[in-house]
Amino acid sequence: MDQLKQIHAQTITIGLARFTYITSKLLAFSAMSDIDYAHTILNQTNTPTIFDYNSLILGYSKTSKQEMGILLYTQMRNNRIEPNARTFPVLIKTCDCISSLLQVHGHVVKLGNVFDVYVTSSLIYMYSNLKAVELAIQVFEESSYKNVVCCTSLITGCFNNGLVDEACKVFDEMPERNDVSYSAMISGLVRNELFNKAFELFLHLKQSGLVKPNRPLLLTILTACGKIGALDKGKNIHHQLLEESFTFDLEIDTALLDFYAKCGDIEKAEDIFIKMRYKDVATWSSMIMGLATNGRNESAIKLFEEMTHKGPVPTDITFIAVLVACNHKSLVTQAWCLIGKMFKVFGIQPGIEHYGCMVDIFARSGQLKGAEILINLMPMEPDEAIWGSFLHGCLTHSEICLGERAGKRLIELDPSHSGRYVGLANMYADIGRWENVIRLRNMMVERKVDNTPSWSFIEVDGVVHKFFVHDQFHPRVNDLCEILQILNKLSMNQ
């Protein structure tokens, strides 16, 4: 921007600023770097063009001042400038509520742009983003040309709103598919925790050879492998990246590091980290978190100290990672020092996640009075996660009175979550207060709270097995029960 301002000054000095082509180029560049400066150029232009307005609307769509896009469009129409094919796709992205999007949609229809496939896909995308999926589906169904772009937009929108069956239906009926549509489908399945389906579709894609997996798709599958601990599948993705000569840049290396750390192979994660020529703050943060969650707490804290001396400037996420390391070791004093350094040295205001880590550290170490004082002194309202950590600490250290207060507060904050009632009921059951247990059960029935069962999963021979509490539906449940009985007998005989 400094260089651009110098050039702009030169154009004014030598009289070239009156030429539309030059000012349009200056405005377009500024809109991507300094939106206020770009708007100033527009205001100083005698005859702004549709290119100028499109550039500025696009610039505002990428800022927190999105609503300015609608105001600019209104100004443009008042100046009798007609929108073109590029106007509506960017204008739609500046809509921050349904009412403004409906008004823009009305102009799209009125001016005959409803048949433009990019406008259609933008409408589908924004309606879905604003949780109006039924309107997104309506736009899609009314479109006369449902190409791969429109289909992919609707698939993403349905998945983002939990409409898995609808997304699958659109995908199955697509006349053609490309790497982007497969990527949208697989990443959507992963976001909705349908890991087996995601892996099956990825395997089908590889075996068919119809579409070559692209980089974002491979990174999505790698992320899924990390989430469920599918080490073998992730290793195969790593080998595929090597075989197909993908460029191992910062993004891929960080994703691989994060995957191996989450799967428990912290040595491999460290090896990748050490060999990386360039590491950004996300890389350092991932490595610190990986060490912390794999029980290498001292190493995590040491790496953080190394980062502060020769690495990039830590962010709020980095401090969450190092506080997790303190959490596992109950290093209360160390954690307080880190919070102080975070604010005084790096100017980062502690957020609710950092306070949550501190409450968890206090609760785990049995300093429940300190945890309660911290909760009361927090500058923001404590959320369910913080009260949940506090309740867990109370249960672990048999602090019944404090636990009762925390449990009641949790139910007030999240009355539809079955786990809140169950946690408090279990505490009452442990001390024999059965009348309170019955009262909580009745309260759940009266409020129609569904008792959502807990579950876990494990990958065996490339298949992800998901188990619920008291699960009797797994095809090998009898074999599993027999093995558990054998293990129980062996442990009793030791």
Side-chain angles (χ1 to χ4, degrees), residues 70-83:
I70 303 292
L71 296 175
L72 277 169
Y73 176 75
T74 304
Q75 179 185 325
M76 181 186 95
R77 299 293 287 139
N78 290 338
N79 292 338
R80 301 185 183 282
I81 297 173
E82 292 292 323

Side-chain angles (χ1 to χ4, degrees), residues 20 33 70 133 239 339 348 367 388 467:
T20 303
S33 306
I70 303 292
V133 195
H239 292 150
I339 289 288
I348 302 170
Q367 299 181 42
F467 295 95

Side-chain angles (χ1 to χ4, degrees), residues 304 316 319-320 322-323 326 331-359 361-362 374:
F304 173 78
D316 55 338
F319 276 95
I320 291 172
V322 73
L323 285 171
C326 294
L331 301 173
V332 179
T333 305
Q334 179 87 26
W336 272 125
C337 291
L338 286 167
I339 289 288
K341 182 182 287 188
M342 176 181 171
F343 180 68
K344 293 176 182 177
V345 178
F346 298 100
I348 302 170
Q349 192 73 35
I352 194 164
E353 296 88 354
H354 305 97
Y355 282 104
C357 288
M358 289 301 301
V359 169
I361 294 168
F362 273 119
L374 180 59

Side-chain angles (χ1 to χ4, degrees), residues 405-461:
R405 288 207 295 270
K408 288 177 178 178
R409 185 72 183 118
L410 267 173
I411 291 172
E412 289 174 13
L413 286 170
D414 199 0
S416 62
H417 193 300
S418 61
R420 311 308 183 199
Y421 299 86
V422 173
L424 187 56
N426 288 342
M427 187 185 76
Y428 285 137
D430 288 341
I431 59 173
R433 287 168 59 176
W434 298 106
E435 70 283 358
N436 294 91
V437 175
I438 295 168
R439 182 175 56 80
L440 283 169
R441 297 291 181 187
N442 291 338
M443 192 185 295
M444 288 180 70
V445 173
E446 290 167 10
R447 296 180 179 180
K448 297 179 180 179
V449 178
D450 292 327
N451 194 356
T452 307
S454 301
W455 56 272
S456 60
F457 50 74
I458 186 171
E459 181 213 14
V460 180
D461 295 331

Side-chain angles (χ1 to χ4, degrees), residues 177-236:
R177 299 165 185 162
N178 61 11
D179 57 342
V180 179
S181 55
Y182 272 100
S183 184
M185 189 68 192
I186 290 172
S187 62
L189 291 168
V190 169
R191 284 198 304 279
N192 285 271
E193 298 186 344
L194 297 168
F195 302 112
N196 277 342
K197 285 189 176 182
F199 291 139
E200 285 170 14
L201 185 58
F202 178 70
L203 185 62
H204 167 74
L205 175 62
K206 282 181 65 178
Q207 291 174 344
S208 66
L210 298 173
V211 176
K212 187 177 180 180
N214 60 17
R215 174 195 177 97
L217 178 52
L218 291 171
L219 287 172
T220 297
I221 286 292
L222 193 63
T223 301
C225 293
K227 284 184 177 180
I228 64 170
L231 183 59
D232 291 339
K233 284 185 186 295
K235 283 182 176 178
N236 289 335

Side-chain angles (χ1 to χ4, degrees), residues 35 81 424 473 487:
I35 194 69
I81 297 173
L424 187 56
F473 296 102
L487 291 172

